[in-house]
Amino acid sequence: MANTPHGGVLKDLVARDEHISEHLKAEAATLGDLTLTERQLCDLELILNGGFSPLEGFMNECDYNSVIDTLRLSDGTLFPVPITLDISSGDIKRLGLSPTARIVLRDPRDDEALAILTVEDVYTYDRVKEAIQVFGADDPAHPSVAYLRNRAKEYYVGGKVQAIQAPAHFDYVAFRYTPAELRAHFKKLSWRRVVAFQTRNPMHRAHRELTVRAARQQQANVLIHPVVGLTKPGDVDHYTRVRVYQAIMAKYPNGMAHLALLPLAMRMAGPREALWHAIIRKNFGATHFIVGRDHAGPGKNSQGRDFYGPYDAQELVERFKDELQIEMVPFQQMTYVPATDEYMPVDEIPADVQTLDISGTELRRRLKTGVAIPDWFSYEDVVEKLRESYPPRNKQGFVLFLTGLYNSGKDAIAKALQVALNEQGGRSVSLLGESIDDSSQKLDLTLDARHENLQKIAFVASELARAGAAVIAAPTSPEERSRTFVKDKIVSSSGAGGNFFLIHVATPLAHCEGTDRRGLYARARSGATSGFVGVDVKYEIPKQADLVVDASVQSIPAIVHSIILLLETSSLI
């Protein structure tokens, strides 16, 4: 028997509003609209299908503040993570947002109308407070804190939504279940006790042994429920991971386990996230939930220490176990014992017994270099799937992102680099300038127009790099937020390696202006043009460039050689 949904009722808004969906679609054609971000799209999908029950929309200010301070909605219901819809002041003005206003929420992939939101309030928020309360520190080394600082817009808009339709998916449709569908599946199979396993990584023998142990302990079946929405930048892409999950499902006894995909945008919030994950799995019908060591932790902070203690997540879930009504199955790290040829939790292994393990870093090194991965660690067909997506370093794509003022020499460096890499051979080489089309070639764009243009460059560059190309991009890119967006997009979406190099062409403004044969700086200073970077728009110095060069004191060949050496050091050439 499937578990009772959180709050007592499954809030399946698509089913609830099915009888008025055509009316809502017609109304949507008359309303202002907001195109969602990728994270907002993930959140909306789980609001619409009931995965975030008891939520029926994005949190208003009262619920938001309550969740931040107490891990509860304003009515007292346990809910540890704020689900918010961030919006810019420009969109507020454009849409005329105020209480009772109605706006359409659109899918960024196909522009389809998904829902209508009725505004309850529009409010500001304290980014630092949210970072400290939810993520434990205002530290940009945490991916969600970096998101808050660099990508979240100035305001949140709260309100309930009415469902027009669920987002469409064309990948792995057979493994995508709504909570209602998964509950029906459990009922059909007569699964009364279901242990859910959360993961954002490929699965190997240790994960299989851990889940089988949990099933044995609880006399239950296993739900493999991996995240295929947004995970940590640099994680293995979901296409590769799902192929791995399909391969490993054959290693379970017939009828023991089932694979279903979760379109969640993770926050990597450690203890709070573990509690949130338990609530979500409860809504999907699971009766038990595995919480492992450092559950949903993002790794090291700016001081080189873990953001969370190894068992903080287990302790928080245990604290709320009576209220949660989903039983936690705690596990320590599993490690291999050669003497008995089995995996065991580390706390059950005597101190004098030899153990073996391969870290995530070591696994990635072996995949990149072609070094053998032993059978005791993973399965042959799983390794085969991973090797398909992790070619050797000298076959991986990469992006060289040159940024600097107009006439800094970045364009000349980019062209010379293109020649050098073509001479090197082994990859196709693509050069992207100020834009990917003729619409954004002007140098007097607004900052928002530049940012939008850089989003396009990031998408094209990541797709080319995924296909194994060498990509050279040389836009002016004056803002840190834009450069951060480009890096995050390429690291997360460009395939094996996520190879991105930021090169700051730090040629001084005086030199750039003094050698400007086209006279563009002079025109900007005379007021003939506006929005010119270096004159009336500030160029923000990159904080974490991989290489800094200066064309006023270095020759173009010397700069190109230093970039080639950077690639060689990374084993890419």
Side-chain angles (χ1 to χ4, degrees):
M1 182 177 178
N3 207 346
T4 302
H6 195 55
V9 178
L10 185 67
K11 301 291 186 176
D12 186 339
L13 306 190
V14 174
R16 182 198 69 184
D17 298 332
E18 184 177 13
H19 69 291
I20 57 169
S21 61
E22 290 302 319
H23 171 76
L24 293 172
K25 188 178 294 185
E27 183 187 1
T30 70
L31 298 174
D33 53 21
L34 182 70
T35 300
L36 301 173
T37 64
E38 193 175 358
R39 179 159 117 169
Q40 292 167 348
L41 178 65
C42 291
D43 287 349
L44 180 63
E45 180 167 3
L46 287 166
I47 291 170
L48 294 181
N49 68 22
F52 284 171
S53 293
L55 300 189
E56 295 183 43
F58 291 94
M59 290 180 182
N60 58 29
E61 186 172 18
C62 185
D63 279 332
Y64 168 78
N65 286 329
S66 182
V67 166
I68 292 291
D69 293 333
T70 71
L71 287 79
R72 297 180 183 278
L73 300 172
S74 57
D75 66 2
T77 304
L78 186 66
F79 208 97
V81 173
I83 306 300
T84 52
L85 182 63
D86 59 299
I87 191 167
S88 68
S89 55
D91 280 331
I92 292 172
K93 183 176 181 180
R94 174 179 65 85
L95 296 167
L97 292 190
S98 60
T100 74
R102 286 166 69 79
I103 60 170
V104 181
L105 304 181
R106 291 194 178 274
D107 192 321
R109 303 165 303 166
D110 57 16
D111 206 40
E112 285 290 324
L114 301 178
I116 295 177
L117 179 140
T118 301
V119 176
E120 293 180 17
D121 54 12
V122 179
Y123 55 99
T124 58
Y125 60 101
D126 186 333
R127 295 172 196 250
V128 173
K129 180 181 178 181
E130 181 174 331
I132 293 172
Q133 295 285 85
V134 179
F135 308 114
D138 183 29
D139 185 340
H142 193 296
S144 287
V145 175
Y147 184 97
L148 266 178
R149 288 190 178 192
N150 302 317
R151 297 178 63 180
K153 302 180 183 72
E154 315 95 280
Y155 296 89
Y156 287 153
V157 55
K160 294 184 178 180
V161 298
Q162 291 175 291
I164 298 173
Q165 59 184 326
H169 292 285
F170 302 102
D171 58 326
Y172 304 115
V173 176
F175 300 112
R176 292 184 180 271
Y177 292 79
T178 67
E181 290 168 344
L182 201 52
R183 287 167 168 273
H185 184 75
F186 295 156
K187 183 177 180 180
K188 179 179 180 180
L189 297 179
S190 299
W191 285 14
R192 301 183 63 82
R193 297 168 66 84
V194 180
V195 178
F197 178 63
Q198 144 86 28
T199 185
R200 55 173 239 271
N201 295 311
M203 291 177 65
H204 301 286
R205 284 185 181 269
H207 305 101
R208 189 265 185 196
E209 296 305 317
L210 182 154
T211 51
V212 169
R213 260 181 183 255
R216 193 183 304 134
Q217 286 178 5
Q218 305 300 327
Q219 292 296 293
N221 292 92
V222 177
L223 170 64
I224 306 299
H225 208 203
V227 171
V228 294
L230 291 181
T231 59
K232 183 181 175 183
D235 280 352
V236 177
D237 69 276
H238 83 275
Y239 296 103
T240 300
R241 288 190 290 113
V242 175
R243 289 195 291 270
V244 166
Y245 302 142
Q246 288 177 279
I248 209 165
M249 292 305 294
K251 311 303 179 185
Y252 288 90
N254 188 42
M256 173 181 280
H258 186 72
L259 172 64
L261 309 181
L262 181 67
L264 177 70
M266 290 184 67
R267 271 54 166 188
M268 309 304 297
R272 281 196 185 224
E273 182 120 357
L275 200 57
W276 186 41
H277 287 175
I279 289 170
I280 292 167
R281 274 38 184 239
K282 176 183 175 184
N283 286 329
F284 275 85
T287 57
H288 298 70
F289 180 57
I290 295 171
V291 179
R293 185 184 184 279
D294 193 25
H295 186 101
K300 305 294 184 183
N301 62 19
S302 296
Q303 287 72 50
R305 297 188 294 270
D306 289 336
F307 271 96
Y308 313 113
Y311 302 109
D312 287 357
Q314 293 181 0
E315 290 170 8
L316 187 65
V317 175
E318 176 67 18
R319 196 171 106 202
F320 291 101
K321 65 178 182 179
D322 293 336
E323 190 173 352
L324 268 178
Q325 295 181 338
I326 180 171
E327 187 174 335
M328 177 180 69
V329 183
F331 263 96
Q332 294 204 1
Q333 182 178 345
M334 301 288 286
T335 193
Y336 180 68
V337 181
T340 56
D341 188 26
E342 65 178 334
Y343 275 87
M344 295 178 64
V346 291
D347 62 330
E348 296 181 14
I349 302 173
D352 59 344
V353 172
Q354 181 195 14
T355 62
L356 295 175
D357 200 6
I358 292 179
S359 67
T361 301
E362 173 63 12
L363 174 63
R364 287 188 291 273
R365 186 192 72 81
R366 290 179 182 233
L367 287 170
K368 290 172 183 176
T369 59
V371 174
I373 296 169
D375 289 342
W376 60 260
F377 178 78
S378 194
Y379 300 98
E380 183 179 348
D381 38 0
V382 167
V383 173
E384 181 183 333
K385 300 297 182 188
L386 287 171
R387 290 206 186 278
E388 288 172 0
S389 297
Y390 277 83
R393 292 284 283 170
N394 63 355
K395 299 296 183 184
Q396 293 176 16
F398 57 83
V399 177
L400 297 167
F401 191 85
L402 282 66
T403 176
L405 296 168
Y406 168 70
N407 202 40
S408 62
K410 63 181 175 61
D411 295 329
I413 295 167
K415 291 174 183 175
L417 260 177
Q418 184 181 29
V419 172
L421 291 173
N422 275 325
E423 183 180 9
Q424 177 79 26
R427 294 180 180 86
S428 64
V429 183
S430 297
L431 176 60
L432 306 176
E434 285 293 338
S435 78
I436 58 172
D437 55 35
D438 294 333
S439 63
S440 304
Q441 294 288 359
K442 296 191 298 181
L443 297 171
D444 57 350
L445 295 170
T446 66
L447 288 176
D448 284 343
R450 287 184 185 277
H451 185 70
E452 182 178 346
N453 177 56
L454 284 162
Q455 290 176 318
K456 297 176 184 176
I457 288 175
F459 173 77
V460 173
S462 65
E463 291 301 304
L464 289 169
R466 181 197 291 274
V471 184
I472 307 160
T476 301
S477 185
E479 291 187 289
E480 187 73 10
R481 65 159 178 152
S482 300
R483 296 189 292 260
T484 299
F485 175 89
V486 172
K487 179 177 180 178
D488 290 347
K489 177 66 177 176
I490 290 166
V491 168
S492 64
S493 305
S494 64
N499 302 303
F500 175 87
F501 302 91
L502 178 64
I503 299 163
H504 178 204
V505 184
T507 308
L509 174 61
H511 182 87
C512 297
E513 191 167 354
T515 57
D516 175 19
R517 293 175 57 248
R518 295 175 62 189
L520 296 182
Y521 281 100
R523 284 176 53 80
R525 292 200 183 279
S526 72
T529 59
S530 61
F532 198 90
V533 177
V535 178
D536 51 356
V537 171
K538 179 183 178 182
Y539 179 86
E540 298 175 1
I541 304 300
K543 296 177 181 177
Q544 294 181 316
D546 296 289
L547 183 67
V548 179
V549 299
D550 181 348
S552 69
V553 295
Q554 295 173 271
S555 69
I556 298 299
I559 292 172
V560 168
H561 183 63
S562 65
I563 296 171
I564 294 296
L565 288 175
L566 179 65
L567 295 172
E568 193 280 332
T569 302
S570 301
S571 303
L572 288 164
I573 59 174

